[in-house]
Amino acid sequence: MKIAVTGKGGVGKTTFAATLARLYADEGKAVLAADVDPDANLGLALGFPEDVLDSIIPISKMRKLVEERTGAGADNTFYKLNPKVSDIPDTYSKTYNGVKLLTLGTVETGGGGCVCPEHVMLRRILSNLVIHRDEVVIMDMEAGLEHLGRGTCEVMEQFVVVIEPGARSVQTYKNVKRLALDLGIRQVRVVANKVRGAEDEEFVRSRIPAEDLLGFIHYNAEVIDADRQGKAPYDVSPTATEEIRRIKEILEQ
C-alpha cells in the first residue's frame, strides 16, 4: 500500500497519516512514514520523543549529501538526474513505535518548474519508496498543491485528501483530483475530518462523490489534547483511532 495524504493546512492530514501508519505497524507490517511537509511534525503525531526529532535533518537540507549523490556543486552546474538513493530510507530514517520515519522536507525555491538537484533527489527517493520497497509507505505531503505542480508524486498508487466540512476544503479536493488526473493518478479519495454532526456529514456527502468518500473523523477534544501534550493521537484517542481504522478497511478494499 502506497498512499500520499494531502490537504489544506490545518485540516488534520498529519493526524490521519500518523494514525494510519501506527495501525499498520500494530498489525506487524513494515511501515515507512515519509514527511514531505516543510512544517515537519509527522514525528510528533507518530509519538516520537522530541529529542529524537530534534536530531533529524531533512534530506532536502543535507547539501553535502545532495552534492555527493547528484554531482552538483559550486564548480559544477551539471548533475545526475538518476542519483543513487536506494540506501537513504534505511540510513537516514528513525524508528519508533514500529514506524520508520524518513523526513524528506521540501524544495523551497524554484517554483513549479524546479529541476534543481534537491528536487531531483526528492523525486528519486519518492520513486524508490513506491517502486522498489516492500513496506507500507505513507507520505504526509505539504499543504496545498505544490507537490503536484512539481510532479513529485505521479508514482503514488493513490491520494487521500483530508478535508473539513467547508467550501474551501472541497475546492482543494477538486483541484487535487484535477491535477492528479493530469499525472495519471486515478485514485483520489477523501476523508472528512473535524465533522461535528449530521449537518456536516450531509454537507460533505452533497459535494463529494460517494465513490471517493472514505469516511468521517468526528471533532474530538482528545485529539486536541494529544497535540497539547505532544503525544500521538493514536495513544490518546481510542475514538479517533477506531474511526481511522474503519477508513483504513475501506481504503484497502
Side-chain angles (χ1 to χ4, degrees):
M1 183 70 73
K2 318 290 183 180
I3 303 167
V5 182
T6 188
K8 289 173 78 282
V11 297
K13 63 184 180 63
T14 299
T15 293
F16 175 74
T19 305
L20 194 63
R22 291 285 301 274
L23 285 167
Y24 276 114
D26 276 5
E27 291 179 354
K29 292 183 170 62
V31 181
L32 190 147
D35 198 337
V36 198
D37 193 325
D39 183 23
N41 52 33
L42 180 59
L44 275 176
L46 286 166
F48 276 70
E50 288 193 40
D51 61 327
V52 174
L53 297 176
D54 290 342
S55 70
I56 295 175
I57 300 173
I59 300 297
S60 62
K61 299 296 185 184
M62 294 183 180
R63 185 62 192 173
K64 184 177 180 180
L65 176 66
V66 172
E67 290 179 355
E68 288 176 350
R69 297 302 175 93
T70 65
D75 300 324
N76 183 17
T77 58
F78 297 97
Y79 50 86
K80 300 175 184 176
L81 296 179
N82 190 24
K84 178 186 175 183
V85 298
S86 58
D87 62 318
I88 285 176
D90 293 322
T91 303
Y92 294 99
S93 62
K94 304 284 186 180
T95 302
Y96 194 77
N97 286 326
V99 178
K100 186 182 294 183
L101 172 66
L102 180 65
T103 304
L104 295 175
T106 190
V107 181
E108 297 174 357
T109 59
C114 175
V115 289
C116 56
E118 293 86 353
H119 168 62
V120 168
M121 278 283 289
L122 295 189
R123 184 167 182 169
R124 285 294 302 159
I125 293 169
L126 291 174
S127 296
N128 177 266
L129 291 177
V130 174
I131 297 172
H132 298 294
R133 298 186 69 92
D134 294 332
E135 298 110 322
V136 173
V137 176
I138 298 171
M139 297 185 185
D140 183 21
M141 309 304 298
E142 61 193 288
L145 304 173
E146 179 65 13
H147 48 280
L148 285 172
R150 287 199 309 267
T152 49
C153 289
E154 68 270 27
V155 293
M156 294 306 295
E157 291 178 359
Q158 61 179 299
F159 271 73
V160 175
V161 186
V162 180
I163 69 168
E164 296 175 330
R168 285 176 292 180
S169 267
V170 171
Q171 188 61 43
T172 296
Y173 150 73
K174 291 179 179 179
N175 289 337
V176 168
K177 186 164 187 176
R178 174 176 53 81
L179 291 174
L181 283 171
D182 289 343
L183 295 172
I185 301 167
R186 300 193 177 277
Q187 288 289 332
V188 179
R189 318 289 286 282
V190 172
V191 169
N193 190 31
K194 302 181 183 179
V195 174
R196 293 179 179 266
E199 186 175 352
D200 281 351
E201 290 186 15
E202 179 55 34
F203 173 88
V204 172
R205 286 194 177 97
S206 69
R207 288 160 175 80
I208 304 298
E211 63 270 20
D212 288 352
L213 182 59
L214 289 168
F216 301 101
I217 306 169
H218 290 83
Y219 180 85
N220 191 326
E222 294 171 338
V223 175
I224 297 172
D225 289 341
D227 187 37
R228 289 198 193 101
Q229 299 171 41
K231 295 182 178 180
Y234 184 88
D235 296 323
V236 175
S237 179
T239 302
T241 298
E242 184 56 35
E243 289 181 327
I244 294 172
R245 188 191 307 276
R246 291 197 292 267
I247 290 168
K248 170 181 169 291
E249 291 170 356
I250 297 171
L251 184 64
E252 291 170 342
Q253 295 172 7

